[in-house]
Amino acid sequence: TVRVRKATDETGGFDAGLWAGRAELGAFAMRVPEEAGGMGLGLFDAAILMEEAGRTLVTGPLAEQLVAARLLAQLGGDAGADLLERAIGGEAVVSIALADVAAQPRQWVAGGAAAEAVIARKGGSVVCIAVPESARKGEETLANTALAEIDLGALDATELASGDDALATFAAAVEEDLQRHRACRPWPRSAAPGLRICLRAQGLRPAHRHLPGDFPSPRRFAVRYRRSKVPGVESYPRHP
């Protein structure tokens, strides 16, 4: 608790040591397919992780790192292999952009004050945008998170993939990111309006009405999400 308070109050909401510790536990490899060096676990497992993250007031863009690592594995190929390895190992913080950079180059990025790269949609492509340290200027917030407004359109971008399939994969990842935040149940209810404001600033609306502080249970969330994606599925498999 003392270390979390210190990270929140003194380091802008990010502690590199705590971040590396999560990597050692395999947190960032959870949603990465096994063939790409990850654990290949599902959304249910990620929901449990986010529940624990909320319970312990975790710092840093945990949900975004999980999504970004999975996107790098799915779309990155050789171009994203090195960054993926470093993201899984906790050596690099990677976040995602919620809005199309081609339409809205300057936008708020969760964990942007610590992220060295951001995965984003840019027109008909999914790109990896390198964020230099000079562009990582954190915004002071009531929660002291590592939130930052970044002009992503002015930074170097490497195309990971393009086309309808790539865009669909990215859109699914953004939705999963929002779903994970809803699973972080112990967040105070005051966090929900803040996330809604951030989404509206990007011209976005959540797919569901539930946001952090609203959602009753990450397990129930996982079942509802599974039902919405797979017709005929009425429950989620129980762990032994």
Side-chain angles (χ1 to χ4, degrees), residues 20-98:
R22 294 184 200 111
E24 291 177 4
L25 295 173
F28 308 139
M30 287 185 69
R31 293 287 285 138
V32 175
E34 291 184 75
E35 57 269 23
M39 300 170 69
L41 298 179
L43 188 61
F44 179 82
D45 304 283
I48 298 301
L49 174 64
M50 290 303 296
E51 179 182 35
E52 290 303 304
R55 186 179 66 82
T56 57
L57 299 178
V58 68
T59 62
L62 177 58
E64 288 74 22
Q65 182 90 348
L66 295 177
V67 169
R70 182 171 173 82
L71 280 172
L72 285 170
Q74 292 175 311
L75 305 175
D78 293 338
D82 179 65
L83 182 59
L84 172 61
E85 182 177 354
R86 294 174 58 237
I88 290 175
E91 300 170 15
V93 177
V94 187
S95 189
I96 62 172
L98 298 179

Side-chain angles (χ1 to χ4, degrees), residues 89-162:
E91 300 170 15
V93 177
V94 187
S95 189
I96 62 172
L98 298 179
D100 187 339
V101 174
Q104 188 172 332
R106 179 178 290 274
Q107 54 184 287
W108 294 99
V109 177
E116 70 171 67
V118 174
I119 309 300
R121 173 179 176 173
K122 190 172 185 179
S125 302
V126 178
V127 299
C128 178
I129 301 174
V131 183
E133 192 168 351
S134 59
R136 305 174 204 165
K137 298 178 180 179
E139 182 75 14
E140 186 175 347
T141 65
L142 292 176
N144 283 338
T145 60
L147 183 70
E149 187 179 24
I150 303 175
D151 186 357
L152 299 172
L155 303 176
D156 293 335
T158 301
E159 184 179 281
L160 300 179
S162 61

